[in-house]
């Protein structure tokens, strides 16, 4: 008689398709992000991902009003309707991975990415908890997407890169941090090396997609 425990995992079972939200924060005239997004999309499709992408400069999106109504009056839902805010928030919380592609501006995101991130603050709770001795938002939902950020620097700047990496890590922690990765690229990086660089730097979150 076989007393060995049997696995309940069916190796032939169809895995759910990973869902990815990609936000391109290029401003008008900043075309150097186009090949970066193209290489990312190619890489994510090889992982079998379903990608929903937004070119933020072409998307109608109002600024967050800072009214807190998405926290206390209509929890999880922005009071502003008629633009892309609610759709982006829904796509974010429904994704396995959220990818930000942005020029690095004084160590931060472009204004388009910042505007989008402000509008998804409804996805966390207005209440707080301690995480490793720090105060952070409590989660509103059971699961959150991993976060990947690809920043492009016009000129090498160690301080800007350090600030950008720190910013992404802190944003990920407030977003419950199921995993995050950062890739910082120089403007005009050769296409021949672009894909390999993205695959290497983003491997921690890309690997999560294949393990689902």
């Amino acid at each position: 008689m076989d007393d060995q425990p049997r696995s309940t995992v069916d190796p032939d079972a169809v895995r759910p398709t990973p869902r990815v939200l990609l936000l391109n924060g290029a401003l008008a005239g900043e075309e150097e992000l186009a090949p970066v997004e193209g290489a990312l999309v190619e890489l994510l499709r090889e992982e079998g991902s379903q990608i929903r992408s937004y070119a933020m400069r072409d998307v109608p999106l109002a600024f967050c009003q800072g009214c807190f109504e998405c926290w206390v009056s209509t929890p999880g839902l922005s009071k502003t309707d008629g633009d892309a805010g609610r759709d982006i928030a829904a796509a974010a919380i429904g994704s396995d991975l959220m990818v930000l592609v942005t020029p690095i501006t004084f160590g931060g995101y472009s204004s388009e990415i910042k505007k989008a991130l402000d509008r998804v603050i409804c996805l966390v709770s207005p209440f707080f908890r301690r995480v490793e001795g720090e105060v952070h938002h409590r989660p509103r939902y059971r699961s959150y997407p991993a976060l990947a950020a690809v920043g492009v620097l016009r000129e090498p700047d160690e301080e800007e890169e350090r600030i950008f990496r720190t910013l992404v890590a802190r944003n990920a922690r407030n977003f419950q941090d199921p995993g995050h990765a950062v890739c910082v690229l120089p403007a005009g990086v050769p296409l021949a090396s672009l894909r390999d660089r993205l695959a290497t730097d983003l491997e921690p979150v890309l690997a999560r997609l294949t393990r689902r």
Side-chain angles (χ1 to χ4, degrees), residues 110-193:
S110 74
S111 57
E112 293 290 354
I113 292 294
K114 177 62 166 64
K115 186 166 57 173
L117 291 179
D118 286 347
R119 291 292 301 276
V120 300
I121 198 172
C122 59
L123 300 179
V124 295
S125 167
F127 301 106
F128 297 92
R129 62 176 180 171
R130 288 190 180 275
V131 180
E132 298 180 3
E134 300 175 350
V135 177
H136 291 276
H137 286 280
R138 290 181 180 177
R140 184 184 295 283
Y141 301 103
R142 182 178 294 110
S143 62
Y144 285 80
L147 177 64
V150 181
V152 176
L153 273 172
R154 292 186 182 278
E155 297 179 358
D157 189 313
E158 291 184 2
E159 184 176 14
E160 279 202 71
E161 179 173 344
R162 177 186 60 78
I163 293 170
F164 183 74
R165 292 182 180 277
T166 301
L167 174 64
V168 174
R170 307 311 291 170
N171 287 165
R173 173 159 287 190
N174 247 352
F175 217 52
Q176 315 310 316
D177 201 6
H180 71 275
V182 181
C183 178
V184 175
L185 299 167
V189 61
L191 290 176
S193 61

Side-chain angles (χ1 to χ4, degrees), residues 53-117:
S53 62
Y54 289 86
M56 296 309 303
R57 69 186 182 195
D58 300 326
V59 173
L61 185 67
F63 289 98
C64 173
Q65 298 181 33
C67 62
F68 293 174
E69 289 197 19
C70 66
W71 274 347
V72 297
S73 298
T74 54
L77 188 67
S78 171
K79 68 175 287 186
T80 303
D81 196 5
D83 66 359
R86 293 183 178 183
D87 288 341
I88 290 173
I93 199 61
S95 297
D96 302 295
L97 173 65
M98 181 164 66
V99 183
L100 312 177
V101 183
T102 178
I104 297 178
T105 306
F106 300 110
Y109 307 114
S110 74
S111 57
E112 293 290 354
I113 292 294
K114 177 62 166 64
K115 186 166 57 173
L117 291 179

Side-chain angles (χ1 to χ4, degrees), residues 23-62:
L23 304 180
N24 185 332
L27 304 181
E30 292 179 331
E31 302 307 324
E32 62 266 25
L33 266 63
V36 177
E37 180 180 1
L40 264 172
V41 167
E42 179 182 322
L43 192 60
L44 290 165
R45 284 179 175 160
E46 287 184 6
E47 302 290 342
S49 300
Q50 176 184 333
I51 305 165
R52 186 170 183 177
S53 62
Y54 289 86
M56 296 309 303
R57 69 186 182 195
D58 300 326
V59 173
L61 185 67

